[in-house]
Amino acid sequence: MAKSTRTGPGPVIWTLRAVLFLLYGVPILWIILTSLKNPSDVISSQASLLFKPTLTAYTEALGSGGLVSAGIQSLTIAAGTTIVTLLVAIPAAYGLARVGGRITTVALGLLIVLQMTPQTATVIPLFQIFGSWGMLDQRLGVIMADSALLIPFAVLLLRPFFRAVPDALEEAGAIDGARPWRIFTSIVLPVARNGVATTGTLVFLLSWGEFLYAINFLLSPGSYPLSALLAQQVSAFGINWPGLMALAVLTSIPILILFIFTYRLLREGLTLGAVK
Amino acid sequence: MTTGNPSMPTAVAKRPGGGGTTPSRNLRRWGRGKGRLLYVLPAAVFLAVLSFFPLIQLIRMSVSSVTAATLNGSWDFTGLANFNAGLQQGDLSRAFFNTVIFVIVVTVLGLVGGLAAAIALRHSGRISALLLGIMVFVWALPPVVNGSVWKFLLGDSGLINGLIQATGMADKPVPFLYDEHFALISVALVNSWAIIPFNALVFRAAVLGIPAETFEAAQLDGAGPWQEIRHVLLPAVRPTSLVLAVLTVVYAFRSFDFIYVMTYGGPGTSTNTLPFLGYLQAFVRFDYGLGSATAVLTVLMVLVLAFVYARSVRKEENE
């Protein structure tokens, strides 16, 4: 660990930290505070700190009933996408980690291109394709589209983890007479489990927040997941701020729970990938 | 949160196809080599159907006349008419210009801010751990949530305008999101804010990778904090910043969610970037052909970026 023992953090560093706290801590506190206000308090002055906290925004949001079904929709889409993506991406990442040569180079290049492609370039043709397949207004369509969006990301993130599994382990398994599939499932996968957990978490987070496919492929707001509901309401009116902030907080709570359990993993997994 | 992928995928597996040290029959049957490409098959099929086929459809639509009425019928081939229309309406050049400004702002701020945050949080301790945790959590939040929060904070009677007026810097609310000149920069600032935590995390790992002796040697030589940053830190993070720069450019280029939530491309066309313009043309103006043409242009730009990325990664791996 690089630590400058002599000086320690100086005044510049402390100023920077204060700025970071203002930039990242305050907005979070602010939405929580706002979600506890009465709409009438917000109209007069949004910047006031003195107000009577109320759960009106939450009870109203939850009372409308639509929110619960949106939450279930979010959960189904995110969980479905995570499962499909991992099922497809894990073997692919392993294959591409173990086989070299031109095919792999081309495959990796294509994956990078897919990952960089803006979602607009796929939402337009997929809307047409799903229309002709009768897959519009169905969760399955959104799950499939989300998976196609995230599989390149997942493969590229997983591959270094599989490359880090020593060849010798697999050879030992082969000498013991294990078949390739068994070597993969009972030797390689357990060693690379951190990579799988990191990737699974990120895929879940990303599909939880995805709204462009949801808003276009699901035809009525009644079947929107939370993210699409929030996107639609904020871009449409933006008047009932406490209600919207309550919706934002409710959308974030599952992320917070997941984050608490996986923060360590994310911190390590992300940087491991990026700095080898 | 859709950052680029943080890993470095382009290097081809360097180990030779078959180790060949213990050539037992089992090993040969195990088939080290190309056999394992079978594992890639499901992904190949999945992406062929749901990614590559759509891209081919996109290209077909971009050279056809496709409207809401003809979407699922037969399309008339119109050649480059959609591209010409985009150019003549002036939307394309405006959106291109917006995209360039947007990408420059997000990339510069994202990299400088990320590095500054990494330096600020490099000493281990409870406070920097807590700050890093908060920042990564913000990064993990859905962009819809972050976009909504900033739309609220930047509103006429929002927190930022409240502070500006309270300190007397302006007596009227600043129209951050509905002024033609401010809106693009405001959204770009929020986008940089959203990517800084990720860049900080990656930069921080590079900073922590510098051996402690290097710092000690610098201090023995009488280097102050600024010299330390200039002569020890910056050279050490240079390779990381190259790759991160490309990832941030891609992130900014693809940006969609924040624009959708905060300005919906407006006011007027002032926050239309190329990807967003394509979306508006297809799903708001229902001219799918026109939107596809714009989207095809973004894919072409992605091809260039992907090439640059592959090269910078390979260069770093060789260093």
Side-chain angles (χ1 to χ4, degrees), chain B residues 134-200:
Chain B
I134 293 177
M135 288 176 71
V136 179
F137 173 62
V138 164
W139 173 79
L141 283 175
V144 203
V145 169
N146 284 331
S148 311
V149 169
W150 278 101
K151 188 175 184 181
F152 175 60
L153 291 175
L154 293 171
D156 268 359
S157 40
L159 179 62
I160 308 289
N161 266 318
L163 288 177
I164 287 178
Q165 282 171 287
T167 51
M169 276 151 69
D171 34 295
K172 270 187 294 182
V174 182
F176 287 110
L177 293 177
Y178 56 90
D179 176 274
E180 248 185 89
H181 305 288
F182 289 160
L184 186 69
I185 300 298
S186 300
V187 182
L189 286 176
V190 173
N191 250 271
S192 330
W193 170 86
I195 195 60
I196 282 175
F198 174 78
N199 288 354

XYZ file of all heavy atoms in Angstrom, chain B residues 134-200:
516
model
N -19.506 5.735 -0.616
C -20.630 6.571 -1.063
C -20.551 6.786 -2.570
O -21.538 6.665 -3.300
C -20.618 7.935 -0.338
C -20.903 7.745 1.145
C -21.643 8.881 -0.953
C -20.837 9.031 1.955
N -19.331 7.090 -3.053
C -19.184 7.387 -4.480
C -19.516 6.173 -5.337
O -20.212 6.281 -6.349
C -17.762 7.871 -4.769
C -17.496 9.264 -4.232
S -15.784 9.761 -4.485
C -15.769 9.991 -6.252
N -19.027 5.009 -4.933
C -19.298 3.822 -5.743
C -20.796 3.488 -5.686
O -21.378 3.057 -6.683
C -18.438 2.628 -5.284
C -18.750 1.400 -6.118
C -16.965 2.965 -5.423
N -21.425 3.767 -4.539
C -22.863 3.527 -4.451
C -23.618 4.435 -5.428
O -24.512 3.986 -6.145
C -23.354 3.747 -3.019
C -24.849 3.685 -2.881
C -25.533 2.516 -3.191
C -25.568 4.792 -2.459
C -26.908 2.453 -3.083
C -26.946 4.733 -2.356
C -27.617 3.567 -2.670
N -23.219 5.689 -5.468
C -23.862 6.623 -6.404
C -23.686 6.127 -7.835
O -24.613 6.160 -8.650
C -23.263 8.039 -6.239
C -23.623 8.916 -7.426
C -23.759 8.672 -4.960
N -22.481 5.625 -8.120
C -22.224 5.104 -9.467
C -23.115 3.898 -9.763
O -23.564 3.709 -10.890
C -20.744 4.717 -9.573
C -20.389 4.012 -10.833
C -20.179 4.574 -12.052
C -20.192 2.600 -10.987
N -19.865 3.602 -12.962
C -19.859 2.386 -12.340
C -20.261 1.507 -10.124
C -19.602 1.113 -12.844
C -20.006 0.247 -10.625
C -19.686 0.063 -11.974
N -23.392 3.102 -8.723
C -24.178 1.891 -8.926
C -25.674 2.190 -9.063
O -26.428 1.339 -9.515
C -23.953 0.910 -7.770
N -26.099 3.391 -8.665
C -27.518 3.723 -8.774
C -27.922 3.826 -10.242
O -27.115 4.206 -11.088
C -27.795 5.059 -8.080
C -27.852 5.046 -6.564
C -28.022 6.463 -6.035
C -28.998 4.177 -6.075
N -29.171 3.497 -10.556
C -29.614 3.623 -11.948
C -29.479 5.066 -12.421
O -29.784 5.989 -11.665
C -31.081 3.217 -11.891
C -31.234 2.434 -10.645
C -30.216 2.948 -9.683
N -29.045 5.286 -13.663
C -28.949 6.646 -14.195
C -30.278 7.389 -14.128
O -30.281 8.607 -13.961
C -28.537 6.425 -15.655
C -27.898 5.091 -15.672
C -28.546 4.286 -14.605
N -31.388 6.666 -14.228
C -32.697 7.333 -14.103
C -32.804 8.027 -12.759
O -33.297 9.152 -12.669
C -33.863 6.326 -14.150
C -35.110 7.021 -14.567
C -33.561 5.143 -14.989
N -32.360 7.339 -11.714
C -32.451 7.921 -10.377
C -31.534 9.140 -10.289
O -31.963 10.233 -9.884
C -32.068 6.876 -9.312
C -31.907 7.533 -7.953
C -33.111 5.775 -9.252
N -30.284 8.983 -10.694
C -29.345 10.098 -10.617
C -29.806 11.270 -11.467
O -29.688 12.427 -11.060
C -27.952 9.637 -11.061
C -27.263 8.821 -9.981
O -27.523 9.020 -8.794
N -26.402 7.914 -10.384
N -30.321 10.975 -12.646
C -30.807 12.037 -13.523
C -31.973 12.783 -12.883
O -32.031 14.014 -12.905
N -32.898 12.042 -12.278
C -34.039 12.683 -11.625
C -33.573 13.583 -10.494
O -34.057 14.706 -10.332
C -34.991 11.634 -11.045
O -35.274 10.651 -11.990
N -32.626 13.068 -9.708
C -32.135 13.845 -8.575
C -31.559 15.170 -9.058
O -31.870 16.241 -8.530
C -31.059 13.054 -7.812
C -30.365 13.939 -6.805
C -31.679 11.851 -7.150
N -30.759 15.128 -10.118
C -30.131 16.368 -10.585
C -31.127 17.274 -11.280
O -30.986 18.495 -11.253
C -28.927 16.065 -11.473
C -27.739 15.769 -10.621
C -27.230 14.541 -10.318
C -26.939 16.726 -9.900
N -26.167 14.675 -9.464
C -25.961 15.996 -9.205
C -26.958 18.111 -9.794
C -24.999 16.613 -8.395
C -25.998 18.728 -8.989
C -25.038 17.982 -8.300
N -32.128 16.701 -11.910
C -33.162 17.551 -12.490
C -33.847 18.342 -11.377
O -34.144 19.522 -11.535
C -34.196 16.701 -13.234
C -35.182 17.540 -14.006
C -36.126 16.736 -14.840
C -37.007 17.652 -15.645
N -37.959 16.931 -16.465
N -34.031 17.668 -10.262
C -34.644 18.311 -9.105
C -33.717 19.361 -8.509
O -34.102 20.498 -8.252
C -34.988 17.223 -8.077
C -35.530 17.748 -6.787
C -36.690 18.499 -6.763
C -34.888 17.470 -5.596
C -37.190 18.966 -5.567
C -35.393 17.942 -4.396
C -36.541 18.693 -4.381
N -32.437 18.985 -8.321
C -31.483 19.904 -7.691
C -31.240 21.138 -8.558
O -30.974 22.225 -8.050
C -30.147 19.191 -7.453
C -30.137 18.088 -6.399
C -28.792 17.403 -6.361
C -30.489 18.645 -5.040
N -31.310 20.977 -9.894
C -31.000 22.082 -10.797
C -32.229 22.884 -11.200
O -32.149 23.789 -12.018
C -30.303 21.558 -12.060
C -28.908 20.972 -11.880
C -28.428 20.308 -13.156
C -27.923 22.049 -11.451
N -33.381 22.531 -10.632
C -34.620 23.236 -10.981
C -34.610 24.685 -10.488
O -33.714 25.100 -9.737
N -35.633 25.440 -10.903
C -35.682 26.858 -10.559
C -35.658 27.115 -9.063
O -35.022 28.044 -8.593
C -36.961 27.477 -11.143
C -36.709 28.043 -12.516
O -35.549 27.956 -12.956
O -37.657 28.543 -13.136
N -36.391 26.285 -8.307
C -36.365 26.482 -6.859
C -35.632 25.324 -6.193
O -35.872 24.997 -5.052
C -37.790 26.621 -6.310
O -38.652 25.707 -6.948
N -34.714 24.708 -6.938
C -33.934 23.602 -6.398
C -32.817 24.063 -5.499
O -32.589 25.257 -5.295
N -32.088 23.091 -4.974
C -31.043 23.381 -3.994
C -29.969 24.300 -4.572
O -29.546 25.270 -3.935
C -30.426 22.061 -3.527
C -29.287 22.173 -2.511
C -29.793 22.817 -1.233
C -28.704 20.814 -2.220
N -29.522 24.013 -5.796
C -28.413 24.782 -6.365
C -28.816 26.241 -6.557
O -28.097 27.167 -6.149
C -27.980 24.188 -7.720
C -27.721 22.684 -7.596
C -26.762 24.911 -8.266
C -26.503 22.302 -6.847
N -30.000 26.445 -7.146
C -30.463 27.821 -7.327
C -30.728 28.490 -5.988
O -30.501 29.694 -5.845
C -31.708 27.848 -8.206
C -31.348 28.076 -9.661
O -30.491 28.903 -9.963
N -31.976 27.329 -10.548
N -31.192 27.720 -5.014
C -31.401 28.257 -3.673
C -30.095 28.796 -3.116
O -30.037 29.907 -2.588
N -29.026 28.013 -3.266
C -27.722 28.430 -2.756
C -27.206 29.649 -3.522
O -26.673 30.583 -2.927
C -26.716 27.278 -2.886
C -26.917 26.109 -1.923
C -25.916 25.003 -2.207
C -26.798 26.583 -0.484
N -27.376 29.613 -4.839
C -26.872 30.722 -5.655
C -27.552 32.030 -5.251
O -26.918 33.076 -5.107
C -27.100 30.425 -7.150
C -26.110 29.350 -7.607
C -26.930 31.694 -7.990
C -26.281 28.941 -9.046
N -28.872 31.945 -5.016
C -29.580 33.176 -4.667
C -29.287 33.601 -3.237
O -29.176 34.784 -2.947
C -31.078 32.992 -4.885
C -31.428 33.093 -6.365
C -32.856 32.692 -6.637
O -33.198 31.522 -6.584
N -33.699 33.677 -6.912
N -29.122 32.623 -2.357
C -28.854 32.945 -0.965
C -27.503 33.643 -0.828
O -27.329 34.527 0.010
C -28.891 31.681 -0.110
N -26.543 33.233 -1.662
C -25.223 33.862 -1.564
C -25.125 35.100 -2.439
O -24.075 35.726 -2.511
C -24.125 32.876 -1.989
O -24.483 32.334 -3.269
C -23.966 31.751 -1.000
N -26.228 35.425 -3.117
C -26.255 36.661 -3.884
C -25.474 36.620 -5.184
O -25.141 37.655 -5.752
N -25.159 35.408 -5.662
C -24.408 35.338 -6.921
C -25.300 35.686 -8.117
O -24.813 36.074 -9.167
C -23.817 33.930 -7.110
C -22.493 33.757 -6.372
S -22.211 32.067 -5.878
C -21.959 31.282 -7.431
N -26.604 35.511 -7.940
C -27.533 35.893 -9.003
C -28.861 36.173 -8.328
O -29.164 35.608 -7.273
C -27.698 34.761 -10.013
N -29.664 37.076 -8.907
C -30.942 37.315 -8.244
C -32.096 36.602 -8.928
O -33.171 36.510 -8.388
C -31.227 38.823 -8.086
C -30.680 39.610 -9.248
O -29.446 39.620 -9.382
O -31.471 40.186 -10.013
N -31.828 36.076 -10.129
C -32.868 35.275 -10.760
C -32.381 33.824 -10.816
O -31.179 33.578 -10.868
C -33.145 35.772 -12.186
C -34.223 36.848 -12.233
C -34.585 37.179 -13.670
C -33.407 37.822 -14.370
N -33.655 38.214 -15.746
N -33.292 32.859 -10.814
C -32.854 31.459 -10.933
C -32.103 31.232 -12.237
O -32.471 31.778 -13.270
C -34.165 30.669 -10.931
C -35.214 31.591 -10.474
C -34.737 32.988 -10.668
N -31.033 30.449 -12.173
C -30.286 30.133 -13.392
C -30.998 29.002 -14.124
O -31.259 27.954 -13.535
C -28.844 29.702 -13.037
C -28.054 29.418 -14.303
C -28.165 30.762 -12.197
N -31.340 29.196 -15.390
C -32.087 28.165 -16.123
C -31.173 27.039 -16.615
O -30.958 26.870 -17.807
C -32.691 28.935 -17.301
C -31.729 30.064 -17.524
C -31.111 30.389 -16.213
N -30.661 26.249 -15.687
C -29.651 25.245 -16.031
C -30.114 24.306 -17.144
O -29.350 23.970 -18.029
C -29.306 24.405 -14.802
C -28.497 25.137 -13.794
C -29.042 25.504 -12.571
C -27.175 25.453 -14.053
C -28.286 26.167 -11.631
C -26.411 26.117 -13.119
C -26.971 26.481 -11.901
N -31.367 23.870 -17.053
C -31.784 22.795 -17.954
C -32.684 23.260 -19.091
O -33.023 22.485 -19.967
C -32.508 21.695 -17.155
C -31.605 20.948 -16.172
C -32.415 19.947 -15.372
C -30.469 20.263 -16.897
N -33.110 24.517 -19.080
C -33.960 24.927 -20.196
C -33.434 26.174 -20.904
O -34.175 26.859 -21.593
C -35.426 25.082 -19.766
C -35.671 26.022 -18.636
C -35.909 27.367 -18.883
C -35.672 25.572 -17.326
C -36.125 28.238 -17.849
C -35.888 26.444 -16.280
C -36.114 27.781 -16.550
O -36.329 28.653 -15.526
N -32.160 26.443 -20.729
C -31.540 27.485 -21.544
C -30.729 26.803 -22.628
O -30.033 25.818 -22.371
C -30.627 28.358 -20.683
C -29.898 29.394 -21.524
O -28.824 29.060 -22.072
O -30.407 30.508 -21.637
N -30.834 27.322 -23.840
C -30.175 26.692 -24.978
C -28.679 26.481 -24.760
O -28.107 25.508 -25.215
C -30.377 27.580 -26.206
C -31.261 26.975 -27.257
C -31.287 27.875 -28.469
O -30.436 27.696 -29.330
O -32.158 28.773 -28.506
N -28.047 27.443 -24.076
C -26.596 27.352 -23.935
C -26.182 26.522 -22.729
O -25.181 25.833 -22.758
C -25.992 28.750 -23.838
C -26.386 29.621 -24.987
N -25.876 29.437 -26.254
C -27.281 30.643 -25.075
C -26.423 30.334 -27.063
N -27.282 31.058 -26.381
N -26.982 26.612 -21.661
C -26.604 25.911 -20.431
C -26.926 24.428 -20.465
O -26.221 23.614 -19.886
C -27.330 26.523 -19.222
C -26.834 27.881 -18.847
C -27.615 28.742 -18.081
C -25.569 28.297 -19.233
C -27.158 30.001 -17.736
C -25.094 29.556 -18.893
C -25.903 30.404 -18.145
N -28.024 24.067 -21.141
C -28.580 22.725 -20.966
C -27.562 21.631 -21.301
O -27.359 20.701 -20.517
C -29.835 22.560 -21.823
N -26.905 21.762 -22.447
C -25.973 20.719 -22.864
C -24.842 20.566 -21.845
O -24.483 19.454 -21.455
C -25.398 21.038 -24.248
C -24.515 19.959 -24.856
C -25.336 18.744 -25.237
C -23.768 20.482 -26.073
N -24.314 21.720 -21.404
C -23.205 21.675 -20.438
C -23.689 21.093 -19.110
O -22.993 20.291 -18.477
C -22.624 23.089 -20.232
C -22.105 23.649 -21.557
C -21.502 23.071 -19.213
C -20.980 22.880 -22.180
N -24.913 21.473 -18.698
C -25.428 20.952 -17.425
C -25.510 19.431 -17.462
O -25.067 18.751 -16.535
C -26.818 21.517 -17.131
O -26.780 22.908 -17.053
N -26.088 18.899 -18.538
C -26.228 17.443 -18.623
C -24.839 16.792 -18.702
O -24.593 15.747 -18.092
C -27.093 17.030 -19.830
C -27.259 15.522 -19.882
C -28.449 17.672 -19.742
N -23.924 17.429 -19.414
C -22.568 16.882 -19.506
C -21.898 16.876 -18.135
O -21.209 15.918 -17.776
C -21.738 17.687 -20.500
N -22.127 17.932 -17.349
C -21.545 17.979 -15.994
C -22.091 16.834 -15.150
O -21.341 16.154 -14.441
C -21.859 19.319 -15.323
C -21.086 20.535 -15.830
C -21.570 21.797 -15.129
C -19.605 20.339 -15.586
N -23.401 16.628 -15.221
C -24.000 15.549 -14.425
C -23.462 14.190 -14.891
O -23.182 13.297 -14.084
C -25.535 15.602 -14.516
C -26.161 14.394 -13.847
C -26.049 16.877 -13.879
N -23.281 14.038 -16.200
C -22.717 12.788 -16.712
C -21.290 12.574 -16.218
O -20.914 11.453 -15.889
C -22.711 12.816 -18.240
C -23.720 11.865 -18.825
O -23.415 10.714 -19.050
N -24.926 12.345 -19.023
N -20.507 13.628 -16.162
C -19.147 13.493 -15.639
C -19.200 13.093 -14.170
O -18.456 12.226 -13.722
C -18.369 14.804 -15.757
O -18.792 15.548 -16.842
N -20.097 13.758 -13.447
C -20.284 13.441 -12.031
C -20.577 11.949 -11.860
O -20.069 11.304 -10.949
C -21.441 14.297 -11.498
C -21.948 13.969 -10.135
C -21.464 14.428 -8.957
C -23.057 13.129 -9.805
N -22.195 13.928 -7.916
C -23.178 13.124 -8.407
C -23.967 12.378 -10.555
C -24.167 12.407 -7.741
C -24.944 11.659 -9.891
C -25.048 11.682 -8.511
N -21.366 11.397 -12.778
C -21.767 9.999 -12.639
C -20.635 9.033 -12.967
O -20.617 7.907 -12.459
C -22.976 9.708 -13.534
N -19.672 9.434 -13.790
C -18.625 8.502 -14.182
C -17.372 8.664 -13.316
O -16.530 7.762 -13.267
C -18.290 8.648 -15.702
C -17.472 7.450 -16.198
C -17.538 9.919 -16.003
C -18.160 6.127 -16.053
N -17.232 9.784 -12.626
C -16.028 10.016 -11.811
C -15.773 8.895 -10.798
O -14.643 8.434 -10.667
C -16.083 11.413 -11.139
C -15.723 12.476 -12.176
C -15.134 11.510 -9.949
C -15.849 13.902 -11.679
N -16.798 8.390 -10.083
C -16.515 7.324 -9.108
C -15.848 6.104 -9.737
O -14.896 5.561 -9.173
C -17.901 6.966 -8.575
C -18.694 8.191 -8.730
C -18.201 8.837 -9.986
N -16.331 5.697 -10.899
C -15.726 4.531 -11.545
C -14.273 4.817 -11.920
O -13.370 4.020 -11.636
C -16.526 4.147 -12.795
C -15.884 3.050 -13.590
C -15.977 1.735 -13.185
C -15.148 3.345 -14.732
C -15.360 0.727 -13.907
C -14.533 2.347 -15.459
C -14.637 1.038 -15.043
N -14.037 5.971 -12.536
C -12.667 6.317 -12.917
C -11.779 6.435 -11.682
O -10.604 6.040 -11.717
C -12.664 7.634 -13.711
C -13.232 7.440 -15.105
O -13.519 6.319 -15.509
N -13.398 8.527 -15.837
N -12.330 6.971 -10.592
C -11.554 7.109 -9.364
C -11.142 5.731 -8.849
O -9.999 5.526 -8.418
C -12.369 7.849 -8.305
